Amino acid sequence: MTPPNLTMTQTLLAAAELWCPTTDGGPFALDQGVYGGCEALRTLAERPTSEPDVTLVAEVFDQGRPRVVTDLNDLGFMVAEAAASDGVTAALLLPSFVQGEVDSVLVFYFRGGNGFRGAVELWAGTKGRFELSLDQSYYAGLDRFARISRYVNFPKGSGLPGQCWDLGMPRIVPDVKSAKGFLRSSGAESDGLSVGLGVPVMCRTELRSVLLLLSSSATPVARVHEVWIDNPAPEGPGKLTRSQGVYGGLDALAAASGNQTFSTSGEGLVERAWSSARPVMAEGEALAAAGAERLAAIREAQLGWAVACPVVVVDQVRAVVLLMG
């Protein structure tokens, strides 16, 4: 596996893996992975004799509930040791559902320390599911924002989590510090936060929580955030188009992305995530699958990896969130 070219911008999201159960009923196996500059995690994944501790992955698979992990020893000693070498300090485990059953577990690894600023939050339904409160979180360099967030609740339809919960759709807020609908905008401004991404998260057949990924300009979660949906126009069904995108100053890629479309049955990253309802990722030269129309702009931006995450609500793929860094 050849590591991609690295850029000067280090993203909060450092690496990603997809874990699936083996067909013979044995332990979980690594299905896909992208590692950017995380060479220790990459080396661990490439060791055929390694037997990583998949207890927590199996737990998320069995319970169907996401987990934010701030003690990476919970993922096993070898993973914790490799993560420490790569500057990784936290992880998010997200179950992916197909027909109400967990199909796989997506693992995101996040950096921390050394000036990194950003947040990973899971907001869960409470009080008869009419209000969301903070359930699990990871904050990099955001102590004040973390304290504020513990005392905030979001009614259905209110704020970024409440809107995603109400609509059952992902949403990007390009500038949270000036957004009227972002209820913690003053805290976001003082802590230098910029982009907010909200994603509804299923538990079996119920929408139980919302994932929030909050970026700072200097250390964004990803350099590119996109949401792709099936075109609702009469001539559009079967054609995936970009509904939202934030590009962090990558103007050529932003322009090219406006012309890019995908078929719901094609072979690109977004298309495969849509048709399989399973996350799909690529790095290096395989990023050509992120869109032929914009391949030149992707190479010019020196993007090294991409992860396409389907948003499944009650057995229906509603959108695909694409992150690139």
Side-chain angles (χ1 to χ4, degrees):
M1 191 182 299
T2 304
N5 292 330
L6 301 181
T7 68
M8 294 300 291
T9 301
Q10 273 204 309
T11 55
L12 195 72
L13 179 54
E17 295 176 335
L18 188 70
W19 290 81
C20 301
T22 56
T23 55
D24 60 3
F28 284 77
L30 180 63
D31 181 73
Q32 306 171 54
V34 292
Y35 298 96
C38 295
E39 295 308 315
L41 284 171
R42 184 193 300 276
T43 299
L44 179 62
E46 290 177 343
R47 283 171 54 190
T49 57
S50 67
E51 296 182 1
D53 186 348
V54 294
T55 303
L56 192 56
V57 172
E59 183 179 306
V60 170
F61 187 92
D62 290 338
Q63 296 180 357
R65 297 180 183 275
R67 286 282 298 272
V68 175
V69 182
T70 54
D71 181 357
L72 292 178
N73 284 296
D74 291 346
L75 288 169
F77 169 75
M78 289 190 297
V79 173
E81 187 177 57
S85 297
D86 289 328
V88 168
T89 54
L92 168 70
L93 281 69
L94 279 176
S96 296
F97 289 90
V98 174
Q99 296 182 344
E101 298 296 328
V102 184
D103 174 73
S104 56
V105 175
L106 175 64
V107 182
F108 280 149
Y109 294 99
F110 298 95
R111 296 183 173 96
N114 298 322
F116 280 95
R117 280 177 178 259
V120 180
E121 299 177 330
L122 280 169
W123 294 84
T126 58
K127 298 182 180 178
R129 300 184 65 238
F130 294 109
E131 193 172 65
L132 291 166
S133 60
L134 188 63
D135 180 46
Q136 303 175 57
S137 59
Y138 166 64
Y139 297 98
L142 298 174
D143 293 343
R144 179 177 177 277
F145 192 80
R147 289 194 298 271
I148 293 171
S149 301
R150 295 188 187 102
Y151 300 100
V152 174
N153 291 315
F154 291 97
K156 198 168 187 177
S158 178
L160 182 54
Q163 291 169 15
C164 294
W165 192 32
D166 186 30
L167 299 173
M169 287 290 287
R171 182 166 179 255
I172 301 170
V173 176
D175 188 5
V176 294
K177 63 181 181 295
S178 61
K180 292 181 180 179
F182 194 81
L183 301 185
R184 295 172 289 167
S185 57
S186 60
E189 182 175 13
S190 61
D191 280 329
L193 293 178
S194 53
V195 179
L197 169 64
V199 182
V201 178
M202 294 294 294
C203 179
R204 304 301 175 191
T205 57
E206 290 187 77
L207 181 53
R208 292 277 187 87
S209 58
V210 173
L211 166 67
L212 249 61
L213 299 177
L214 301 173
S215 293
S216 65
S217 298
T219 57
V221 170
R223 296 179 67 202
V224 174
H225 301 66
E226 294 179 333
V227 174
W228 293 81
I229 61 172
D230 196 358
N231 194 324
E235 68 279 6
K239 189 79 71 175
L240 300 175
T241 58
R242 182 195 62 179
S243 66
Q244 286 186 286
V246 174
Y247 298 91
L250 302 178
D251 295 340
L253 181 56
S257 299
N259 299 321
Q260 178 76 61
T261 61
F262 299 105
S263 164
T264 53
S265 58
E267 292 300 317
L269 285 181
V270 173
E271 298 151 302
R272 285 159 51 205
W274 184 281
S275 61
S276 69
R278 175 183 280 190
V280 181
M281 53 194 74
E283 62 181 342
E285 289 304 311
L287 277 180
E293 297 264 351
R294 53 193 188 153
L295 181 56
I298 288 172
R299 287 173 172 165
E300 179 185 343
Q302 293 185 298
L303 296 174
W305 55 262
V307 181
C309 303
V311 178
V312 181
V313 178
V314 194
D315 295 340
Q316 180 184 1
V317 179
R318 303 285 301 277
V320 172
V321 172
L322 183 65
L323 302 175
M324 291 191 282

